Amino acid sequence: MADTNDGVRVGYAGKAYIGAVGATVPTDLTSAWDADEWFDLGKVSEDGLTEATDQARAEFKAWGYDAPVRTQLTSKTTTFQLTFIQTSNPHVVSLYHSVALDDMTTTGTGDAAYTSFSTGQNTEPDIRALGLDIVDGDFHTRIVIPRCEVTERGNKVYKGDTLVSYQMTFTALTASDGTSVHYKIGGLVVPVVTP
């Protein structure tokens, strides 16, 4: 008898990495991300990762019929939402405020160090690559979004009983090869179908 719990997974832990469009992607599930091309975005809140897909379809009906005779996909948007909780990560701050690292200045050293930058009118898109690892024991899932942009930002709250955090929603954009999201799912085996 088959194990009825086989294939039941949880997103127990994970990591997010940001890179430039075209950054080299690991070829398997567990190889390390190249630290020269990908930057660890640090700890994520216990809410983990939320992936959502929104689809719009057109319906075509025949004269005199209630049900459509055909539907056509007209748009599909995939988003990934994470809340980052390490306020000392310059890449997170850069993404949240839409400020390039080159436009941020660090003054001083050690505990006396601080970083300053300004925000304002910025209409240039900030398109990056996003890498995501989801881990459940020995099972890994790796998701790569070759082109994406932060399209929503949650409120940043400064309160004594709340972590300062950076909630961001990344929207997958079409890459040069026509794809938008690449998945590698450990433990998933596609059966061989014989004609």
Side-chain angles (χ1 to χ4, degrees), residues 169-191:
T169 300
F170 298 84
T171 297
L173 305 173
T174 303
S176 59
D177 64 358
T179 64
S180 58
V181 183
H182 301 266
Y183 297 89
K184 287 185 174 67
I185 303 173
L188 176 65
V189 178
V190 177

Side-chain angles (χ1 to χ4, degrees), residues 11 33 39 50 61 112 115 120 133 177 181 184:
W33 298 82
F39 304 97
T50 299
K61 296 180 180 176
T115 296
D133 281 336
D177 64 358
V181 183
K184 287 185 174 67

Side-chain angles (χ1 to χ4, degrees), residues 44-143:
V44 173
S45 79
E46 63 185 346
D47 295 331
L49 167 68
T50 299
E51 177 181 350
T53 300
D54 181 36
Q55 292 185 344
R57 300 189 83 82
E59 291 185 349
F60 303 96
K61 296 180 180 176
W63 190 10
Y65 290 86
D66 292 337
V69 293
R70 179 177 170 177
T71 67
Q72 178 64 47
L73 182 67
T74 57
S75 71
K76 177 182 174 184
T77 304
T78 305
T79 59
F80 300 86
Q81 185 184 81
L82 299 122
T83 301
F84 301 99
I85 59 175
Q86 285 189 270
T87 58
S88 60
N89 188 309
H91 298 283
V92 170
V93 174
S94 166
L95 284 166
Y96 185 84
H97 290 285
S98 293
V99 175
L101 290 176
D102 292 345
D103 294 331
M104 301 167 79
T105 305
T106 299
T107 305
T109 57
D111 291 341
Y114 65 91
T115 296
S116 55
F117 57 91
S118 298
T119 62
Q121 184 66 18
N122 182 4
T123 57
E124 289 297 315
D126 183 9
I127 299 175
R128 317 262 189 114
L130 181 67
L132 301 165
D133 281 336
I134 301 108
V135 179
D136 180 15
D138 292 334
F139 294 96
H140 298 253
T141 296
R142 181 162 276 176
I143 303 171

